[in-house]
Structures are given as C-alpha cells and as structure tokens.
Amino acid sequence: PTAAVRAAADRLAQVVGAGGPSSATDTLPGTQLSAYALTGRDPRRPALALVVAADPNDPPAHAIAGVAAVLLSLITGPAADRGPAEAEHSAALVRLLLGARPAEVAALLGPPLWTVVHAERRRDTTESPTALAAALGTSLIASEPDAGAATAPVLRALVPAGRKVTAHPGWTLGVSEPVPVEELPAADRHAATALRRALARRTSLVRHRAPGPHGIASLVAPADARQHAQALLAPLADSPPLLATLHNWLSLHGSWDRTATALGIHRNTVRQRIARIAGLLDADLDDPDVRMELWFALRSLDRDGSSLDRDGAAPQA
C-alpha cells in the first residue's frame, strides 16, 4: 500500500479501536478501506483491528474481508478469554464456517447432547437477549428473522442437555429434545415448530415430543413412508407456504385463529390457503381420516428433513 493508504488505514484503526463504531470505511482514489474492530471495548486489553484496502469495484474482496473479520473476532475477541470451554466453542464455530462437518467439531463443543431453543420476545417486555442467554445458561445464542412465521426477530440458542430449560418472563420459547450434534438440524426444525405452537396457544413454552418407539410411524419403513408422503403431497410441491399452512393447521386441530397467529397472517388468508390445498389434493379436509393421513405424510418428511421439489421428490443432499 502507498503511504497515503497506510495513513488512512491507521486513522480507521484508531476509530474502531477507541470505543467508536465496530466498523468504519474510507475511500481514496482507486482504493476503498474497511476497518473492523476485533476485540470489543474493554479498555484493559489492547485493541486489535482488521483494516482491508481493496479495489472498490471488487465485491468478492470485501465479502472475503467480512468473513475474515468474523473469524478473527471469534479467535481474538472477549469470548476467547472466558475459559477453555468458550475458546473451544469458538474454535468449533470457526471450523464449521471453514467447511467442517458437525460430527468433526462435536468434541470441541463439550456436552454430547444439546437442546435447541427458539425464542421470541413478547411486545410487553424489555427483557434483553443477554438476560435470556444468562437464564438459559449458554453463550451460544444468535438472533435472526423467522422466515416461516412472524416478523419479529427470533433467537436461537444451543443449551447443554444437562441444563433444564424453563419459561422465562417476557419470552415465548420452543424447545427441542436433547440430541447429538449431528442431529441439530432436525432439532432446530422441531424447536421452530414448538415455538409456532407456543405462539398460537399464547403459552410461554412448548416442548417438542418425539413419537415413542412403538408409535404408528414405527410400523412403516422410513423410505416407504417418505415415498408415500412425496406422492401424496406432490400437488403442493411448488408452494412451501401451502405446505407450512397445512402443517400448522393440522397441528393446531384446524383452528383458523391459532394458525393465523402461528404464521403471522390473517385468518382469512388461512381459510383461502386451506381451500386451495383441498382443491389441489382433491381431498375433504373435514374428514378425520384424511387429516390423519396428511399429518402422517408431513411428519414423515419432518423426521428426515426432506422437502418436496418441483417433481415431488426430496432433493438430494
């Protein structure tokens, strides 16, 4: 870099390292600089910053820099100073971001079993995500929009199975069953479903319960159940909203209001979707036998994380 670029980079590093914003940018002729704070705002520890000088017309360079900032902050940030467990959790996350499979980082996470919690903050509370994380006893928590339902941000947390998850004031929780790391994607789906049910019931916490070993589902081979489900639900393959509506509507015993609440839509929209589903499937959704068969099909897809593509088949992993 030229002397001008170095001087600008030094100025940006001072901005993000002195209690200012977590990132800052500057532009020189032919160069765009981006600075990222890596070590938080603790005055007792030296501040580290990543400053990148790149061509302003090179989007991949800036994307790579953003990922580098995330990884470096995990290694050098305050979490690395909280003890071996937190350091290993950060190491596990870094390895996952770099392409490792969950089974390869399971040992770094510590506990063999984990519970997934989905949480949505109620409008009548000012409770912070930090307070919820402390109550759950975990630092493995993230916030993101729930694409399947409400517009409010949904928190997702990983909690060691040995810690009991209970209702927390100001929050609505959906809780999965404890699972090994390899099964976290399925547990994440189960926690999301449990949260939607909790919101629909207006209750503070709902736990997902897996069917027992002697349930009806155990009488049918998983491959046969999946094939049947894909054929039965093929007319809905082009519309994930219709599948989500049917799933929620059946799980909530055909309640228009509860389904509308769970999905964050108007009850008339639920009625219209269910009517369209009945037409596409050429089925009487008031018939309990039909409902039972559709629920069995949906649960068959839930169990292995399958979904329908445009041909009615589960996409290949």
Side-chain angles (χ1 to χ4, degrees):
T2 65
V5 170
R6 288 180 179 275
D10 183 66
R11 289 195 298 271
L12 281 183
Q14 296 298 324
V15 169
V16 300
S22 58
S23 63
T25 61
D26 193 7
T27 302
L28 297 178
T31 303
Q32 180 173 334
L33 295 99
S34 302
Y36 306 88
L38 303 179
T39 52
R41 298 293 181 268
D42 188 344
R44 298 169 296 179
R45 54 181 288 135
L48 295 177
L50 169 68
V51 184
V52 179
D55 186 333
N57 298 315
D58 186 6
H62 296 286
I64 291 170
V67 174
V70 172
L71 299 178
L72 288 169
S73 66
L74 290 171
I75 297 171
T76 63
D81 293 337
R82 295 176 190 162
E86 294 292 347
E88 289 186 346
H89 292 172
S90 295
L93 180 55
V94 170
R95 294 191 184 187
L96 285 172
L97 287 170
L98 294 177
R101 292 187 295 271
E104 296 173 344
V105 302
L108 292 175
L109 288 174
L113 298 178
W114 292 82
T115 299
V116 180
V117 178
H118 280 221
E120 183 172 311
R121 184 165 51 187
R122 295 199 290 271
R123 295 180 180 178
D124 59 351
T125 184
T126 58
E127 285 286 329
S128 68
T130 303
L132 177 63
L136 294 174
T138 182
S139 61
L140 300 178
I141 190 166
S143 175
E144 61 184 81
D146 182 1
T151 57
V154 172
L155 292 178
R156 299 196 298 174
L158 291 181
V159 181
R163 296 174 182 169
K164 185 177 181 180
V165 178
T166 59
H168 187 68
W171 293 86
T172 302
L173 306 181
V175 183
S176 77
E177 291 192 317
V179 298
V181 171
E182 303 91 291
E183 297 178 19
L184 284 176
D188 185 53
R189 294 192 301 272
H190 296 158
T193 299
L195 175 60
R196 289 195 294 269
R197 292 174 66 86
L199 292 170
R201 295 176 181 178
R202 293 180 171 84
T203 187
S204 58
L205 185 149
V206 167
R207 300 180 190 276
H208 171 78
R209 301 295 186 189
H214 304 297
I216 293 177
S218 66
L219 302 177
V220 181
D224 292 339
R226 183 169 59 253
Q227 184 177 10
H228 170 73
Q230 291 166 353
L232 181 63
L233 298 171
L236 308 181
D238 288 331
S239 182
L242 292 184
L243 277 170
T245 301
L246 179 61
H247 192 293
N248 281 274
W249 186 72
L250 290 174
S251 73
L252 296 168
H253 310 292
S255 170
W256 310 110
D257 291 332
R258 288 183 174 183
T259 304
T261 299
L263 294 174
I265 58 180
H266 195 277
R267 59 176 291 167
N268 287 342
T269 303
V270 176
R271 289 182 178 274
Q272 293 166 5
R273 289 184 182 180
I274 293 300
R276 177 159 176 72
I277 290 168
L280 289 172
L281 297 179
D282 190 22
D284 179 8
L285 298 185
D286 290 328
D287 186 331
D289 289 337
V290 172
R291 292 193 186 193
M292 179 183 68
E293 187 168 1
L294 290 172
W295 181 246
F296 177 83
L298 289 166
R299 293 294 294 142
S300 298
L301 296 181
D302 283 346
R303 275 191 292 275
D304 63 359
S306 298
S307 60
L308 296 173
D309 63 14
R310 292 184 180 275
D311 300 321
Q316 297 298 313

